[in-house]
Amino acid sequence: FYSLTGHYVYAIRGLAMEELHEHPCSKPKSRWEISTGVTCPSATVLNADTVTALTDAITKSFDSNPFVKDVTRTLLCDPSDYDDSTDELDIQLQIGSDCYTHVHPDHLNVYDFSGWVSVHNGGAYNIQKWAEGFDGHEGWYLMYPYVGVSERNVPQHPMSRWYNNGNGDNIVYVARLGDSLPYRDLIDGLKTDAVANYFGALAPGSAQGLIICGSHGEVANDPSLLEGFDLHSDEQSTTGSDEMDNQKHVVWTEVNLKSNDQLRQRVAWALSQILTLVPGNINGAERTEMYTYYYDILVRHAFGNYRDILGEVSFSPLMAEHLSYLKSKSHSYVFSNSNMVSRADENYAREVMQLFSIGLVKLNKDGTIQVYDSGVPLQAYTNEDIESFARAWTGFDRTAARGNIEQISRGSTDNRLDPMQVVPDWRDPFPKSNLDGGFIGDKYELCVDVNYKSFLKKGAHYRLLGGSSSPEMTKDPSYFSDPANSVLRAELDPTSALYLRLYNGGDYELDVLLENDMTCTGIECNVDTLRVVKVGNVYYEFVEKPCIQLAFYRDAKRIQGRDNRNQGQMCANPDLPHAREACCRGERYREVRSASTSYLYDGERMTFSTAAERCGSLCIFENVNNENWWKKGYHWTPKDCSILVKINSEGYIAIVHDTDIAYINTIPYHVQEESTLNWFRVFWDVDGVYPGSSDSNNCAANNCKAMNDGSCLCKTSVTESPVFSDTSAISVTEVLSQLFIGASGPPPGSVGTDIGNGVIVYKLDSIVDERSVFEASDDKGRVFFLKNVRSTVNIEGWEGKIPEIYEAEDATTYNVTVKSSSSATGGKYIDYDLESYLEWNVAVNTPGTYKLSFRYALDSHPRPLSIFVNSVEVTKEAANPTIPVVYYGGSPSADKFPLQRCEGDCDNDNHCADGLFCKQNNALEENPGCEIGSGNSRDYCVDPLDYTHGVLFYPTGGWSSDWLNTDPIEIYLAAGQNTIRAQVPVGYKDGPNIDHMKLGGITAELLQPASFRNPPHFMSLIPDYSPYGVGEMNLRDALYETDAVLDHYFYQDNVAPFLCTRMIQRFGMSNPSPRYVEACSTAFKSGTYSSGSASFGSGEYGSLEAMVAAIVLDNEATSSSVSMDPGHGSVKEPILKVLALMRSMEYQTKIPDTLQGPPMHNDYQVKLWYIHEKIGQGPYEFPTVFSFFLPEYIPDNGPALAAKYISPETMILTMPNTVSLLNGMFSLIKYGLGDCNNGFSRYPGYSGCNDDGKYERSFGRLSYEPMGENLSQKIADLALLLTAGRLSGQNQATIEQTCGTEPNEASILR
């Protein structure tokens, strides 16, 4: 890369591990360097369990990198190997002929160090030398000097230095050494033509270079202008840091002094004091472009809609850096990757409400404060609200750097201009409560109502991808982008209506919204949803509309990854297209070992029912055939899955998925019973009543499981019920406050009835029930269609007994073998033999029905076990009547196949009809469902459902590591001691391998019934895993959720009076009347304002044009009579005073050459140098998030204090600031803009400070010549311009009298 690009790209070596938590048995992931065909020189001595666990984890990793292998943590190590600080971390492990060495997780990561060259404390050479052939070095790796190199005076580098700087802005991660990645995934600094040509890749856009999009309002450089701006660069420094820092101030001053759109600029300045950036919180004081780009957001939308500002500001990388939510990550992500408990950064979640939208207290529409009866103000939000919203501001990161922007150094990924990206994996996916006692996502449609063939429905959205088939709003594995991998995309039939609309006669549109519903053709008829479609030679991505999922749902099914040892076994909603098919018949062990697929395009998702229909049969498989393993993802199984809930003492809940663990840690951490700490708020139907809410209402009292962290683990059920059944007196408020699930519109076939009060109800069969839809509008112009249904989560317990595991090795046994396995829950399992049994003693307090299941492994045909409870056998009915066997001989003719039930002789399962398997008999075992006869020793096709024994065990794919739980059976236990025996049936030679028995009670009601409304969420809980691009957490849904959060802020009732009060204050009224604020609020909400015959605004809620018009044209702002009120007006902001003087007195940077003296400088920029340090205020230099002054500030002395008048600007009206303002104005008038007598600028030249009208030591002067025939008229003209005519006659006379004694009129005016 160095020879091709000049970038310093290295693989890092020499990183050290120092802490016990870095042990491979302690952390979620570990990295091992591979020495192929090498015997470990110093193999680490470890306990057998640790060796087995680590070997198992390494050998089962799918990582194909030839140099290092990343593996998932195993929890089955011997604790003695990692419980002491002296335990070895640099473990060497011999596995077969290869040696594996545990290394630092960043070892052999490849980074671009180019940005580090200029800031390396040890000098640029020590970073550059490796690429330049230092000491015969290969040039592709860099040694981190952890211990230092004394002979070369290289000091020891502590690991903290790497942790502080590695993966930062100046050291950019590329990939691991040995990884293969598409050219398009290279970091931008390495995507050059030379690299593309060298590796045989085609650069994006064309073979000649890149097409770079510019910034908003960007214009071409104008070289005719005399002065320019410098850009921050590591190439060469030509401008001092103070000059660089002042450039953004120059831009602002030039625009505000000289532009014709003064009202727009004034609005932008006011908005900048609300949506502040504090430069002290941002690393980049010497930069210009990123600050002006941010300010342009406010200028651009000054007369637009405030929602647009709120959105762009929230996605600004400067705002994220300033308020510290840049790179904020969810707890679920941090814990799963670092085994650390964390919380989302709360800074922006707080300030976006307090400062940008709603304020601290609830307001009436006229801006007055709402109070309790006690007089205490009502809070606008609580700390609980901040915690909830903070989780919505996780996942934000800067986008990749692009061309034509100001970057700090070569190779930098530091893009501080363009809107941030959201990293879906970092995002918190769980429900988030809102400010209204509900949830973000309320009133959106359910995804289960939206998804089915929505790609053909009116409004379906398609985005043009061009020649690339990689989606952008969702994600595919990187392998999909490699043309050599022959990825199958959904190719539309050229005759289909969808194809014709997207093709558009060859004139492809960037975005397409379907105008009408369409009929399916070809592949469109056979899939549930589309992701990427091929149209001609280009690709479009289908973008599903915003919709929400409910956190709890009925009939959940287990999904799992392509291999049952992968993490990813969890519950999924069977009605959503969130997994793929895996075709296999559960009774056939060879199919269970390797399921097959029949997808119609790579990456296809489908619902459970489609998968079952597509396959004919689904099973709980060991793996999906490994051909093109990277095309596999999550797959449906027929296994039922339960969604439980953990409840902490505060009533917050965490979601738990209760399903089988086929291997080790196969349930994702964020929904795993013990590890999940992803708490979120719900609103209990009976406030304060939930399991664990009190000492008496504890976990045990509700038959819930008491967890080690003090929370209660309970069962759940979901019910849906209609909210309204009588529409005789339903108000809009009731509809909008009690209905939360959206609908796309009236149900097909329904009849609408206007019931008054602004509500229309759409009924089917003239009945108001859960099928009905209500239409209502709020006071902000939004129209809602809402389903008349409430989804409720009911909390339940276990009757008589919390589910408990009884290990097989702890049972009383007969003729069994105890074996070890790292994936067995107790480390051991039982291998049955002839007439074997296990028997447990079980005590229960309450007689009744209990549920019994077994965790087992079986790699053969289904096998039964007889179950005896207190010596009484538990049996079940056969599915079919018993019939005679039919024997066609050892080789039945072809016309007999497939063999039906009780027909033989079969040789394998494929000889049997669906649902049957070939019972390989050993002359001892029965043929279930078949009459016993002389042919009993033959092999017949049988139905596994005809077994009448207590439990039937289906194949799992292995004997010691592919574990499943049987479906529970119900048994009756007496109070006190009971025995449960699992025995190989008579006539059978063996059974499955048993890990443990699980026993628990049936569903029980709570001591005090508890329930809550089913919370919605946008983000799926299905995470990503290798090959990364298979999960359902995607960018699309993260953006939808962010929009919903911003909308929730924006549509709060507080927004209009809060913003109006702040903006009116910035336009000269510190204490606006309630009537004034209400008039402004009305304009903001309605989007219109009229004054005489003129009308302003867009007609939409949030119109700033309407709001500003209401502010500047209101009688309180324009009537001269109200100026007599002592509480009217405000103290003018210092910076506005300076600008007003310069504008009204016609400041010019071109000093006439006609003045006597030496030649003058021409065309300077307006350089108000560090003006904020002089007068307490200046552009971009906000001292805190609260701007320069507090909007509620009342001076602590004087008449304003007694009258309780608010006067924000007086906070900075200190004596030093006031004196500096007067000195600067005096200097500007007499000497021009310079540094004479503490003027407003610096470095204007070397001439003296002479009051001679030549302005030799200045960048410009005030050029206005007052109008008038005499001194009195000229003073009146100046008074009009400088005081808006408010200078009294007495004061004018005093000025005239004083100036009248001065003989030099020019000197008078200076």
Side-chain angles (χ1 to χ4, degrees):
F1 282 106
Y2 175 69
S3 61
L4 294 173
T5 67
H7 281 234
Y8 296 95
V9 180
Y10 305 119
I12 186 77
R13 282 181 167 180
L15 299 175
M17 296 173 290
E18 302 172 315
E19 304 290 339
L20 190 59
H21 66 78
E22 297 179 282
H23 193 281
C25 296
S26 298
K27 56 188 177 182
K29 294 180 182 178
S30 58
R31 178 167 292 184
W32 299 80
E33 186 170 12
I34 308 166
S35 299
T36 305
V38 173
T39 300
C40 293
S42 303
T44 307
V45 178
L46 300 168
N47 286 291
D49 284 348
T50 301
V51 172
T52 300
L54 293 176
T55 300
D56 206 38
I58 291 171
T59 56
K60 291 179 173 62
S61 170
F62 284 95
D63 193 342
S64 58
N65 188 291
F67 302 120
V68 292
K69 186 179 288 286
D70 289 340
V71 304
T72 303
R73 171 179 59 181
T74 173
L75 298 178
L76 298 173
C77 299
D78 189 314
S80 65
D81 283 324
Y82 60 103
D83 62 354
D84 188 88
S85 59
T86 61
D87 287 326
E88 191 167 351
L89 300 177
D90 301 321
I91 295 171
Q92 287 189 356
L93 199 63
Q94 190 74 41
I95 302 178
S97 61
D98 302 331
C99 180
Y100 288 82
T101 303
H102 179 228
V103 293
H104 189 278
D106 293 335
H107 178 72
L108 290 188
N109 276 357
V110 177
Y111 298 92
D112 186 348
F113 284 84
S114 303
W116 189 241
V117 169
S118 61
V119 296
H120 180 230
N121 290 337
Y125 169 72
N126 283 317
I127 302 299
Q128 296 169 328
K129 66 184 181 183
W130 308 100
E132 295 169 356
F134 165 74
D135 197 24
H137 198 277
E138 297 95 325
W140 54 264
Y141 71 83
L142 178 149
M143 288 296 298
Y144 185 79
Y146 175 67
V147 297
V149 184
S150 58
E151 59 269 24
R152 296 205 308 268
N153 296 319
V154 177
Q156 177 185 0
H157 282 46
M159 283 305 298
S160 59
R161 186 169 184 187
W162 174 254
Y163 295 132
N164 291 333
N165 298 293
N167 286 305
D169 291 340
N170 296 308
I171 302 176
V172 185
Y173 176 73
V174 179
R176 299 176 305 174
L177 185 69
D179 281 349
S180 175
L181 71 161
Y183 174 81
R184 68 190 296 270
D185 290 342
L186 277 174
I187 63 173
D188 282 353
L190 304 182
K191 284 194 286 191
T192 66
D193 290 341
V195 171
N197 291 332
Y198 183 85
F199 289 101
L202 181 64
S206 74
Q208 299 303 314
L210 300 175
I211 298 176
I212 301 298
C213 296
S215 306
H216 277 293
E218 187 172 313
V219 297
N221 183 50
D222 185 353
S224 66
L225 299 177
L226 297 182
E227 287 210 44
F229 291 107
D230 242 333
L231 298 179
H232 200 294
S233 169
D234 64 342
E235 286 295 305
Q236 183 177 4
S237 178
T238 60
T239 305
S241 60
D242 53 352
E243 285 269 9
M244 294 292 294
D245 191 18
N246 201 52
Q247 283 187 158
K248 55 184 175 290
H249 306 144
V250 171
V251 174
W252 185 90
T253 308
E254 288 275 352
V255 171
N256 281 272
L257 193 60
K258 301 177 180 179
S259 65
N260 293 323
D261 56 348
Q262 283 296 299
L263 182 57
R264 177 182 294 275
Q265 299 300 330
R266 181 68 183 277
V267 172
W269 172 243
L271 290 169
S272 75
Q273 296 182 67
I274 297 172
L275 301 130
T276 56
L277 288 178
V278 179
N281 294 343
I282 297 170
N283 179 22
E286 297 178 16
R287 302 206 207 173
T288 302
E289 188 178 16
M290 65 185 191
Y291 286 102
T292 57
Y293 186 93
Y294 176 85
Y295 196 87
D296 278 349
I297 296 172
L298 311 179
V299 175
R300 189 165 58 249
H301 296 296
F303 299 139
N305 196 286
Y306 190 68
R307 173 62 177 81
D308 295 326
I309 291 181
L310 203 58
E312 289 199 35
V313 163
S314 297
F315 275 82
S316 165
L318 286 195
M319 183 59 72
E321 185 177 355
H322 160 48
L323 291 178
S324 64
Y325 61 105
L326 183 70
K327 299 182 185 295
S328 177
K329 301 175 180 67
S330 67
H331 163 74
S332 59
Y333 178 86
V334 173
F335 184 84
S336 64
N337 285 273
S338 304
N339 201 28
M340 295 171 56
V341 176
S342 67
R343 298 178 66 175
D345 187 275
E346 297 178 359
N347 208 0
Y348 190 66
R350 178 186 303 105
E351 308 304 359
V352 71
M353 293 189 289
Q354 178 181 347
L355 303 178
F356 300 172
S357 58
I358 62 175
L360 287 170
V361 296
K362 289 189 175 182
L363 304 173
N364 296 306
K365 60 184 178 181
D366 61 2
T368 56
I369 298 174
Q370 297 182 26
V371 297
Y372 293 101
D373 292 339
S374 62
V376 175
L378 275 68
Q379 288 184 305
Y381 59 87
T382 65
N383 284 333
E384 289 79 6
D385 296 321
I386 295 172
E387 291 175 357
S388 177
F389 285 119
R391 295 187 292 111
W393 295 108
T394 53
F396 286 84
D397 196 11
R398 300 185 184 112
T399 58
R402 59 175 172 87
N404 204 28
I405 63 173
E406 183 180 15
Q407 289 182 200
I408 191 169
S409 61
R410 294 177 299 167
S412 172
T413 59
D414 186 30
N415 187 336
R416 284 159 145 181
L417 266 69
D418 297 328
M420 290 184 291
Q421 61 179 325
V422 181
V423 181
D425 292 345
W426 296 358
R427 184 64 165 233
D428 185 293
F430 293 95
K432 299 162 181 73
S433 58
N434 65 23
L435 298 169
D436 302 330
F439 299 92
I440 297 301
D442 281 347
K443 298 182 173 60
Y444 281 78
E445 294 178 64
L446 293 173
C447 294
V448 293
D449 294 338
V450 167
N451 281 155
Y452 182 69
K453 294 202 184 303
S454 57
F455 59 89
L456 291 173
K457 299 292 176 27
K458 179 180 179 180
H461 179 202
Y462 289 84
R463 297 177 70 248
L464 180 65
L465 298 174
S468 167
S469 68
S470 296
E472 296 172 351
M473 302 303 285
T474 55
K475 186 179 178 183
D476 279 339
S478 60
Y479 297 90
F480 281 35
S481 60
D482 187 345
N485 287 328
S486 301
V487 173
L488 177 65
R489 294 297 188 185
E491 189 163 357
L492 301 182
D493 189 311
T495 65
S496 81
L498 178 59
Y499 178 97
L500 294 173
R501 176 63 188 88
L502 297 177
Y503 183 66
N504 197 35
D507 185 13
Y508 298 109
E509 300 175 26
L510 292 178
D511 284 275
V512 176
L513 296 177
L514 299 188
E515 294 82 4
N516 302 289
D517 290 352
M518 292 184 172
T519 303
C520 68
T521 302
I523 190 175
E524 303 159 17
C525 302
N526 300 317
V527 297
D528 287 342
T529 189
L530 292 173
R531 291 167 64 81
V532 173
V533 296
K534 187 176 182 182
V535 180
N537 293 318
V538 304
Y539 296 90
Y540 274 94
E541 178 181 10
F542 168 61
V543 184
E544 186 62 271
K545 66 190 293 188
C547 62
I548 49 97
Q549 305 172 45
L550 295 180
F552 298 84
Y553 43 89
R554 293 192 292 264
D555 304 321
K557 293 295 182 182
R558 165 177 154 171
I559 58 174
Q560 65 183 54
R562 66 182 182 274
D563 187 290
N564 65 4
R565 300 187 182 196
N566 289 349
Q567 193 177 75
Q569 292 163 15
M570 61 187 301
C571 302
N573 190 329
D575 297 324
L576 289 174
H578 280 175
R580 302 154 169 81
E581 80 292 6
C583 305
C584 52
R585 287 165 285 196
E587 68 277 2
R588 303 189 177 187
Y589 70 96
R590 288 185 177 87
E591 293 186 13
V592 169
R593 288 177 184 169
S594 183
S596 61
T597 56
S598 60
Y599 49 82
L600 300 183
Y601 61 87
D602 286 328
E604 182 186 5
R605 271 75 158 170
M606 62 195 71
T607 62
F608 174 79
S609 61
T610 298
E613 180 182 355
R614 180 90 56 89
C615 290
S617 180
L618 302 173
C619 78
I620 310 169
F621 54 88
E622 179 188 11
N623 61 61
V624 179
N625 63 76
N626 262 342
E627 180 184 2
N628 294 334
W629 63 270
W630 43 269
K631 292 187 178 183
K632 312 304 187 296
Y634 285 94
H635 299 264
W636 290 107
T637 77
K639 186 74 171 177
D640 292 335
C641 191
S642 299
I643 304 178
L644 309 181
V645 63
K646 280 171 68 171
I647 308 167
N648 69 15
S649 60
E650 297 177 342
Y652 280 50
I653 72 166
I655 295 170
V656 172
H657 286 192
D658 184 21
T659 188
D660 300 348
I661 301 176
Y663 187 57
I664 305 166
N665 301 326
T666 53
I667 298 177
Y669 297 124
H670 66 290
V671 289
Q672 199 274 333
E673 177 180 318
E674 295 291 342
S675 63
T676 180
L677 295 174
N678 295 287
W679 305 106
F680 61 90
R681 180 168 53 167
V682 295
F683 301 96
W684 296 92
D685 290 335
V686 178
D687 189 30
V689 176
Y690 50 85
S693 60
S694 66
D695 291 340
S696 59
N697 194 37
N698 57 27
C699 303
N702 289 281
N703 298 302
C704 293
K705 180 180 179 180
M707 304 296 291
N708 292 331
D709 60 5
S711 63
C712 298
L713 178 71
C714 304
K715 298 175 68 177
T716 66
S717 64
V718 177
T719 55
E720 274 87 29
S721 56
V723 177
F724 300 113
S725 57
D726 180 9
T727 60
S728 58
I730 299 176
S731 67
V732 170
T733 300
E734 289 174 309
V735 169
L736 296 179
S737 63
Q738 297 184 48
L739 299 182
F740 302 101
I741 299 176
S744 59
S750 64
V751 176
T753 302
D754 190 337
I755 62 175
N757 300 320
V759 177
I760 300 174
V761 59
Y762 297 91
K763 297 177 285 188
L764 292 166
D765 304 323
S766 302
I767 301 172
V768 179
D769 58 15
E770 65 275 7
R771 301 173 299 167
S772 303
V773 170
F774 285 76
E775 179 184 353
S777 302
D778 68 4
D779 62 349
K780 301 172 181 69
R782 294 180 295 173
V783 179
F784 297 96
F785 289 92
L786 301 169
K787 298 175 70 173
N788 182 38
V789 65
R790 185 188 199 265
S791 180
T792 301
V793 179
N794 307 291
I795 306 302
E796 299 169 340
W798 288 272
E799 185 69 52
K801 187 175 185 62
I802 305 300
E804 184 177 355
I805 288 175
Y806 296 82
E807 293 293 347
E809 59 269 26
D810 296 333
T812 300
T813 63
Y814 173 75
N815 197 30
V816 302
T817 303
V818 178
K819 296 184 176 181
S820 297
S821 172
S822 61
S823 57
T825 51
K828 294 180 173 59
Y829 67 93
I830 295 300
D831 186 354
Y832 274 101
D833 207 335
L834 186 67
E835 299 181 356
S836 302
Y837 69 78
L838 300 174
E839 185 171 287
W840 293 269
N841 291 314
V842 174
V844 296
N845 296 323
T846 306
T849 301
Y850 292 80
K851 290 190 174 184
L852 173 71
S853 63
F854 296 89
R855 188 174 191 242
Y856 72 100
L858 176 63
D859 193 23
S860 73
H861 297 110
R863 293 183 181 181
L865 286 181
S866 297
I867 304 299
F868 296 87
V869 178
N870 297 324
S871 301
V872 177
E873 186 173 6
V874 178
T875 61
K876 59 185 178 182
E877 293 291 329
N880 303 293
T882 302
I883 60 175
V885 296
V886 177
Y887 182 60
Y888 295 119
S891 300
S893 59
D895 63 311
K896 304 301 183 184
F897 294 113
L899 299 176
Q900 302 303 308
R901 191 166 66 92
C902 298
E903 293 181 351
D905 188 288
C906 57
D907 294 325
N908 57 63
D909 293 338
N910 291 331
H911 287 170
C912 302
D914 284 345
L916 309 178
F917 71 95
C918 183
K919 178 71 170 62
Q920 302 287 317
N921 215 314
N922 60 5
L924 298 174
E925 300 174 359
E926 62 181 322
N927 288 307
C930 307
E931 291 181 358
I932 298 175
S934 60
N936 194 48
S937 62
R938 309 293 184 182
D939 299 333
Y940 292 94
C941 295
V942 299
D943 186 340
L945 299 179
D946 286 337
Y947 280 102
T948 59
H949 305 86
V951 177
L952 180 65
F953 297 80
Y954 283 84
T956 68
W959 288 108
S960 62
S961 59
D962 301 290
W963 303 100
L964 283 181
N965 282 15
T966 61
D967 291 333
I969 63 170
E970 292 188 350
I971 61 174
Y972 182 86
L973 297 179
Q977 288 293 327
N978 298 265
T979 60
I980 300 174
R981 175 179 290 191
Q983 180 173 319
V984 174
V986 175
Y988 285 78
K989 68 174 184 178
D990 55 18
N993 291 340
I994 299 295
D995 178 19
H996 65 238
M997 177 184 75
K998 187 175 184 180
L999 183 68
I1002 61 175
T1003 300
E1005 295 183 357
L1006 301 187
L1007 175 67
Q1008 299 182 54
S1011 59
F1012 52 84
R1013 179 163 67 83
N1014 203 346
H1017 56 100
F1018 284 89
M1019 296 285 289
S1020 171
L1021 300 186
I1022 301 173
D1024 211 355
Y1025 75 94
S1026 176
Y1028 305 108
V1030 300
E1032 297 302 308
M1033 296 179 180
N1034 56 55
L1035 173 62
R1036 176 197 66 204
D1037 294 336
L1039 294 178
Y1040 285 155
E1041 182 182 60
T1042 305
D1043 279 341
V1045 170
L1046 291 170
D1047 284 343
H1048 183 69
Y1049 299 146
F1050 178 59
Y1051 285 106
Q1052 288 293 304
D1053 289 336
N1054 251 39
V1055 172
F1058 172 80
L1059 281 180
C1060 280
T1061 301
R1062 295 291 185 268
M1063 292 295 286
I1064 290 172
Q1065 286 184 322
R1066 301 280 54 78
F1067 275 82
M1069 302 293 168
S1070 295
N1071 298 273
S1073 69
R1075 182 212 58 79
Y1076 190 7
V1077 174
E1078 183 172 353
C1080 175
S1081 298
T1082 300
F1084 183 89
K1085 290 176 66 175
S1086 66
T1088 60
Y1089 182 80
S1090 298
S1091 178
S1093 60
S1095 181
F1096 304 91
S1098 63
E1100 296 180 350
Y1101 173 85
S1103 171
L1104 293 177
E1105 179 182 324
M1107 182 185 76
V1108 172
I1111 292 173
V1112 299
L1113 298 177
D1114 188 86
N1115 183 62
E1116 199 162 322
T1118 58
S1119 174
S1120 59
S1121 60
V1122 297
S1123 64
M1124 303 304 295
D1125 182 348
H1128 177 265
S1130 70
V1131 173
K1132 197 167 188 176
E1133 297 175 45
I1135 190 65
L1136 298 183
K1137 292 180 181 179
V1138 174
L1139 291 178
L1141 173 64
M1142 298 177 78
R1143 277 187 64 84
S1144 61
M1145 296 295 101
E1146 298 180 357
Y1147 176 82
Q1148 289 187 5
T1149 56
K1150 183 177 178 63
I1151 301 175
D1153 292 332
T1154 56
L1155 292 175
Q1156 293 182 358
M1160 306 299 298
H1161 294 295
N1162 290 319
D1163 287 336
Y1164 282 109
Q1165 294 160 340
V1166 183
K1167 297 184 178 181
L1168 297 178
W1169 205 280
Y1170 288 93
I1171 190 72
H1172 61 286
E1173 295 182 358
K1174 297 181 173 68
I1175 65 175
Q1177 191 182 32
Y1180 301 108
E1181 300 298 342
F1182 298 100
T1184 73
V1185 293
F1186 303 105
S1187 185
F1188 302 104
F1189 28 69
L1190 298 176
E1192 305 88 1
Y1193 178 74
I1194 297 175
D1196 55 7
N1197 57 62
L1201 175 62
K1204 301 296 183 185
Y1205 283 147
I1206 291 172
S1207 183
E1209 296 81 2
T1210 56
M1211 274 192 73
I1212 59 174
L1213 204 62
T1214 64
M1215 184 60 70
N1217 288 345
T1218 302
V1219 171
S1220 293
L1221 176 65
L1222 294 175
N1223 284 341
M1225 287 183 169
F1226 174 81
S1227 176
L1228 177 62
I1229 294 168
K1230 294 189 73 66
Y1231 307 109
L1233 183 58
D1235 56 2
C1236 292
N1237 295 338
N1238 298 312
F1240 289 140
S1241 194
R1242 289 184 188 175
Y1243 315 133
Y1246 299 98
S1247 299
C1249 294
N1250 301 314
D1251 181 15
D1252 56 7
K1254 295 182 179 180
Y1255 309 106
E1256 293 174 318
R1257 191 180 177 88
S1258 75
F1259 292 111
R1261 65 177 184 123
L1262 303 180
S1263 66
Y1264 183 71
E1265 296 292 338
M1267 298 177 62
E1269 298 296 329
N1270 52 48
L1271 182 61
S1272 176
Q1273 291 178 356
K1274 292 181 179 179
I1275 291 174
D1277 182 53
L1278 291 174
L1280 176 64
L1281 294 175
L1282 296 177
T1283 70
R1286 289 177 295 175
L1287 187 67
S1288 68
Q1290 180 180 354
N1291 286 337
Q1292 287 192 45
T1294 301
I1295 294 172
E1296 183 177 355
Q1297 181 180 359
T1298 302
C1299 293
T1301 60
E1302 173 61 49
N1304 187 334
E1305 184 173 312
S1307 179
I1308 293 174
L1309 297 177
R1310 291 200 303 273

